[in-house]
Amino acid sequence: MKNIELQEYIQTQIVQAPKRLKSLTSDILGNNLFKRDVFLSLQKYMNDYLEKRSDPRIIVMPGLRGTGKTTLLAQLFLSLHEESVSKIYLSIDELVRRFDVDLWDIMENYEVVIGKHIEEIDTPLILFLDEIHYDEKWAIFLKTMYDKSTKVMIFCTGSSSLLLREQINADVARRVFFIDIYPVSFSEYMLFRHNKRREEEVGQVIEEAILYSENAGEVYNKIQKVESRIKNYWLDIDRFEIQKYIKYGTFPFTLRSENEFLAVDFISQIVNKVIRTDIPQFYRFENETLNRIDRVLYLISETLGVSMIKLSESLEVKPDTLRLMLKSLESSGLVLRVPPHGSHFRQVKKPSKYLFTTPSLRFSYLSSRESIGLFDNYQGSMFEDLVGMYLNRILPQFGNFALTYDVSEGGADFIVTRGSTDVVIEVGAGQKGYRQIISTAQKVNPKYSIIISKDDLDYSKEFNAIKIPLKYFLLI
């Protein structure tokens, strides 16, 4: 459908996008914002395509609302200076709302503006499409664009990874490459707030030690080799910095804020937008049910294990409706579901554990009910959110990895499974003894067990276990 007003809008975007996007990538003083770690990976894919015409040519960047996807897209756009390359940034959300059009209409009118069909372009064209999920047929559109011309590369952002992946079939999946945008890591937080740079290899060593060692002794030896560098990194960091990071530092837009209450309020607004805007796009809930979804988050902020019976009774909803509500929260990226360890039958019978995908989300709910002693009272749950957030980021999304927990009383917080082997992980806000992982270790016979707490780095040959300070783990 050709539309003169839409064509004028597209022409304006081509001309004014650099100035508009500059405001998204700089602070109020005009200083450029720091680029997140994932920026370099995205930029490399773009440069490789321009130099070698190599795949991937369609890159989808899903993530929880507020994790900086639009800023990343703007930074990529502005980093592209080659005069021989055409580029355009478009907010699909804005276009759909303003003109009531779909992606096909947008491209048809873009072709009118440039005076040729996409198949006819003879120089590279890079499309930067923000909030692509506002068109329900986005996946088919991307496949079609991929097949139309090898001159086209597309970067696009969208809502949570699970929501977007649920919408594509195998044919589309072969052409689309996903790069998830996760909450801010502690190293990024320190870089953004205090311009403190880390030694990249240290985090890689710790991650490789935790996931790919043969026993606890090997984990210990690998980490011990870089321990002096880890301690040097922490020398000049305020002891309350981890607490600030947990409370509100996992979202890029709060990193410049010194006002805790304002930052927490911003996070609450993000949650509300996810519930009121993102979830209704994929789940046809009535307004009354959406109100109860907010109540679900409020209730699970107090606990980790969810009793479906008690929760459905408290909310006065049917168990099937509650399951769908929890599924929507998981798909939207607000919560991380950790199933019980064991067979599929056991997982169906036993309750899953629901963590917030960042501890800042839990803190925003908890802060609405109390203030005195809040962090101390709930830091165990928030530390578990934090470790779950990190594990969700570093564990491969596909393949033979799985993240579960021991549902029995006193069982381990996490069990990382790779193929036929397990690693037991226990998280503690204070100091923890090795005996806290014994019961789970006896049941699953892991390659080794890990305790993440405030203890010093330590190794127990007797229990085939290692204590890793939370400070060390945060550098992954």
Side-chain angles (χ1 to χ4, degrees):
M1 177 186 70
K2 295 183 179 179
N3 182 320
I4 298 299
E5 290 184 355
L6 178 56
Q7 292 165 24
E8 292 175 348
Y9 174 91
I10 292 172
Q11 181 65 55
T12 301
Q13 288 301 300
I14 294 173
V15 175
Q16 295 187 357
K19 183 178 180 180
R20 178 184 177 186
L21 297 180
K22 179 66 177 175
S23 66
L24 294 176
T25 61
S26 57
D27 59 23
I28 57 175
L29 299 177
N31 301 313
N32 288 333
L33 298 178
F34 285 108
K35 296 178 176 68
R36 295 198 57 186
D37 293 343
V38 70
F39 172 83
L40 295 177
S41 298
L42 294 166
Q43 188 179 50
K44 184 178 186 306
Y45 285 122
M46 183 168 66
N47 292 337
D48 285 349
Y49 166 72
L50 293 175
E51 294 172 7
K52 311 169 189 175
R53 298 295 185 267
S54 59
D55 278 335
R57 289 193 289 115
I58 309 291
I59 295 179
V60 179
M61 302 155 52
L64 174 64
R65 185 182 284 269
T67 49
K69 303 184 297 294
T70 298
T71 300
L72 276 168
L73 209 61
Q75 289 172 329
L76 278 172
F77 180 96
L78 295 173
S79 73
L80 182 59
H81 302 294
E82 286 81 352
E83 293 183 1
S84 61
V85 179
S86 300
K87 60 181 181 178
I88 184 170
Y89 167 91
L90 295 169
S91 169
I92 306 307
D93 172 20
E94 183 178 344
L95 283 162
V96 169
R97 284 188 289 104
R98 181 180 293 192
F99 299 102
D100 191 25
V101 292
D102 58 24
L103 287 160
W104 309 98
D105 296 326
I106 295 168
M107 289 315 301
E108 180 183 359
N109 284 274
Y110 176 73
E111 289 175 332
V112 173
V113 171
I114 65 174
K116 60 179 68 176
H117 293 293
I118 292 297
E119 297 93 331
E120 299 171 337
I121 61 176
D122 51 12
T123 56
L125 166 65
I126 301 187
L127 305 176
F128 298 87
L129 307 178
D130 201 12
E131 304 277 24
I132 197 170
H133 62 277
Y134 275 86
D135 185 336
E136 294 180 355
K137 298 182 179 179
W138 64 270
I140 300 301
F141 169 80
L142 292 181
K143 174 187 178 299
T144 302
M145 292 298 294
Y146 181 95
D147 294 338
K148 269 190 174 186
S149 174
T150 58
K151 300 292 185 181
V152 176
M153 183 179 199
I154 301 176
F155 289 92
C156 53
T157 69
S159 55
S160 168
S161 175
L162 284 178
L163 284 178
L164 294 188
R165 284 190 167 99
E166 288 170 359
Q167 291 187 302
I168 65 172
N169 58 36
D171 193 33
V172 176
R174 286 195 295 270
R175 295 164 172 82
V176 173
F177 188 72
F178 282 83
I179 296 184
D180 295 284
I181 309 302
Y182 294 104
V184 171
S185 69
F186 183 78
S187 297
E188 288 178 309
Y189 165 87
M190 290 302 299
L191 177 63
F192 297 165
R193 280 186 67 90
H194 303 292
N195 198 23
K196 185 173 183 62
R197 299 186 179 276
R198 71 163 186 248
E199 295 183 76
E200 297 290 337
E201 317 87 68
V202 170
Q204 294 170 3
V205 168
I206 299 172
E207 177 180 336
E208 194 275 336
I210 289 173
L211 295 182
Y212 300 104
S213 296
E214 291 302 317
N215 52 60
E218 185 177 330
V219 179
Y220 177 78
N221 290 333
K222 288 176 180 177
I223 296 178
Q224 191 181 43
K225 288 179 181 179
V226 294
E227 188 172 25
S228 62
R229 292 160 67 183
I230 296 172
K231 289 182 176 179
N232 185 63
Y233 176 87
W234 283 96
L235 272 178
D236 58 351
I237 296 178
D238 187 274
R239 65 191 181 94
F240 291 110
E241 209 64 61
I242 292 178
Q243 187 175 131
K244 293 177 184 177
Y245 169 66
I246 288 174
K247 286 180 175 180
Y248 56 84
T250 56
F251 287 96
F253 61 87
T254 64
L255 295 182
R256 298 293 181 184
S257 176
E258 296 298 333
N259 187 321
E260 177 182 314
F261 298 103
L262 187 60
V264 170
D265 183 61
F266 282 157
I267 294 170
S268 297
Q269 291 178 38
I270 288 292
V271 175
N272 187 60
K273 287 180 180 178
V274 172
I275 294 173
R276 297 294 172 180
T277 303
D278 296 346
I279 289 178
Q281 284 189 276
F282 301 94
Y283 293 87
R284 307 304 180 192
F285 290 131
E286 296 179 355
N287 195 55
E288 186 178 354
T289 304
L290 290 176
N291 292 334
R292 287 193 170 103
I293 287 179
D294 188 61
R295 178 67 177 164
V296 170
L297 289 171
Y298 185 84
L299 291 173
I300 66 175
S301 67
E302 295 183 303
T303 183
L304 297 174
V306 175
S307 167
M308 296 294 290
I309 296 175
K310 291 182 180 179
L311 203 52
S312 63
E313 290 176 350
S314 176
L315 295 167
E316 298 181 343
V317 297
K318 296 178 181 179
D320 286 346
T321 302
L322 177 59
R323 289 188 186 93
L324 193 59
M325 292 163 69
L326 289 168
K327 174 64 176 174
S328 74
L329 289 171
E330 181 187 5
S331 297
S332 66
L334 288 174
V335 301
L336 172 66
R337 185 180 72 89
V338 184
H341 188 71
S343 65
H344 177 71
F345 176 78
R346 179 181 177 85
Q347 291 187 355
V348 170
K349 287 290 186 181
K350 297 294 183 178
S352 291
K353 177 168 65 175
Y354 287 88
L355 305 175
F356 283 87
T357 48
T358 147
S360 301
L361 291 173
R362 187 184 297 272
F363 185 78
S364 72
Y365 272 90
L366 292 172
S367 61
S368 67
R369 70 165 65 91
E370 62 175 285
S371 57
I372 300 176
L374 171 60
F375 190 84
D376 290 336
N377 292 341
Y378 290 95
Q379 64 176 323
S381 297
M382 288 187 281
F383 280 13
E384 200 166 330
D385 289 333
L386 182 60
V387 172
M389 181 185 90
Y390 267 68
L391 292 174
N392 188 49
R393 172 169 58 85
I394 67 174
L395 292 179
Q397 295 296 306
F398 301 99
N400 58 355
F401 277 88
L403 183 64
T404 57
Y405 82 108
D406 184 355
V407 72
S408 61
E409 185 176 354
D413 295 323
F414 300 102
I415 300 173
V416 175
T417 300
R418 179 163 68 95
S420 58
T421 62
D422 296 319
V423 174
V424 169
I425 299 178
E426 176 71 15
V427 183
Q431 296 181 327
K432 285 218 167 190
Y434 286 111
R435 296 194 178 278
Q436 299 208 228
I437 46 89
I438 290 178
S439 62
T440 302
Q442 288 176 338
K443 283 184 287 187
V444 304
N445 190 28
K447 290 180 72 173
Y448 45 89
S449 299
I450 297 172
I451 296 174
I452 300 171
S453 66
K454 293 181 178 179
D455 286 306
D456 293 332
L457 181 68
D458 187 60
Y459 162 60
S460 169
K461 184 176 182 180
E462 177 186 358
F463 298 112
N464 186 28
I466 178 175
K467 293 181 182 179
I468 300 177
L470 179 66
K471 286 183 175 182
Y472 293 18
F473 183 81
L474 286 178
L475 299 188
I476 293 178

